[in-house]
Amino acid sequence: AFSSVFSKPRALALLQYTTVRYRRKPRWLGTAKSKLFRVPERRQQIAEEVEELKRLHNNYRTQMKAVRHFLRDEVEASKLVSRAGMVLQTPEQEEAEWQEALQRNEQWNRQTAAIREERLNAERAARKEHILERLVAKEYRETEKRDKIEELVRIEKEHSKSFITRDNIDQAIELALVQPTSYNFALDRDGNIRRNDEASSTDTSKTP
């Protein structure tokens, strides 16, 4: 009976689901019907506790009100001082203060321009030196390349003296017939070339 109830497809289906138990009822379910018209009993506070809380709250309000009044008086005093200073200034004093500010600004601009010009000069000098170094390196590379090419050309010219042309082909044929070249040779342990004619001459010299 147990095996018939929990068959293989049903067991696989049950394994695919996980039951989740909430500690509290979710918010979206609303109030339960059994608690819909329940009025919770209001907790009665102790009289001494109420008086103590009222005293602390009054002290806090009094202190915060004093801080706000103090800050407001400070702001008003600073406004009065600034206004008094502005009223006491004459147009000539304002113009003199403006000219002084302009002169200070011009002095700062000149200092900044001098620093900027010095920096630009240093950058130009460094860039010029870098370009000169690159030019010298390029010229050196080109010189080396030209020397290598001239050396190759010189070697090829030396080799071209032994080339076979239409003018000396008859002479080359006669020389090849007179002096045949044999590539039948071997190398010994020291790297020396041993030709067949040398070996035969050596063997003939050793025979009694």
Side-chain angles (χ1 to χ4, degrees):
F2 183 80
S3 61
S4 63
V5 173
F6 291 98
S7 59
K8 186 173 182 181
R10 184 174 179 80
L12 291 175
L14 291 175
L15 289 175
Q16 293 176 358
Y17 292 94
T18 303
T19 304
V20 179
R21 295 181 61 86
Y22 293 95
R23 287 189 175 184
R24 298 175 59 88
K25 185 178 63 176
R27 292 177 180 269
W28 56 84
L29 293 181
T31 307
K33 292 182 179 180
S34 60
K35 300 179 181 179
L36 187 61
F37 300 102
R38 188 188 65 173
V39 179
E41 182 180 358
R42 186 172 183 178
R43 180 174 173 271
Q44 298 294 331
Q45 292 184 342
I46 304 173
E48 290 81 0
E49 184 178 353
V50 173
E51 293 296 330
E52 182 65 18
L53 290 175
K54 188 182 295 184
R55 184 186 68 81
L56 294 175
H57 183 64
N58 291 334
N59 290 340
Y60 172 75
R61 291 183 60 187
T62 303
Q63 293 174 1
M64 293 302 299
K65 188 175 181 180
V67 171
R68 285 196 295 270
H69 283 299
F70 175 76
L71 294 176
R72 185 175 58 198
D73 294 340
E74 288 290 329
V75 172
E76 292 295 333
S78 64
K79 289 182 179 179
L80 290 176
V81 171
S82 61
R83 290 175 183 173
M86 292 176 63
V87 171
L88 292 176
Q89 283 186 344
T90 60
E92 291 79 6
Q93 291 176 347
E94 291 182 359
E95 182 66 22
E97 184 178 358
W98 175 253
Q99 294 297 330
E100 183 181 358
L102 287 178
Q103 292 178 2
R104 189 180 301 110
N105 190 20
E106 290 293 334
Q107 182 179 1
W108 290 345
N109 289 337
R110 287 193 296 270
Q111 292 177 357
T112 304
I115 295 172
R116 182 173 59 251
E117 187 66 24
E118 183 179 358
R119 176 176 55 82
L120 291 176
N121 291 333
E123 290 179 357
R124 281 193 291 267
R127 183 173 178 81
K128 184 177 180 180
E129 184 177 358
H130 179 65
I131 292 173
L132 289 176
E133 289 179 356
R134 292 183 61 184
L135 290 175
V136 170
K138 183 180 179 181
E139 185 178 359
Y140 178 74
R141 290 195 300 269
E142 290 180 353
T143 304
E144 284 189 344
K145 186 177 180 180
R146 186 169 56 252
D147 293 341
K148 290 181 180 179
I149 292 173
E150 290 179 356
E151 181 67 19
L152 290 175
V153 171
R154 187 184 62 80
I155 294 173
E156 291 297 329
K157 285 182 178 180
E158 292 292 333
H159 291 168
S160 65
K161 294 179 180 180
S162 60
F163 290 170
I164 298 175
T165 60
R166 292 184 178 181
D167 298 333
N168 59 359
I169 186 170
D170 296 332
Q171 184 179 358
I173 292 174
E174 294 178 358
L175 183 62
L177 293 174
V178 174
Q179 297 179 356
T181 302
S182 175
Y183 295 97
N184 187 13
F185 60 86
L187 296 176
D188 57 6
R189 294 180 179 178
D190 298 331
N192 299 322
I193 297 176
R194 298 297 182 181
R195 297 185 181 276
N196 191 14
D197 53 357
E198 294 179 0
S200 59
S201 63
T202 305
D203 294 338
T204 54
S205 60
K206 289 183 179 180
T207 54

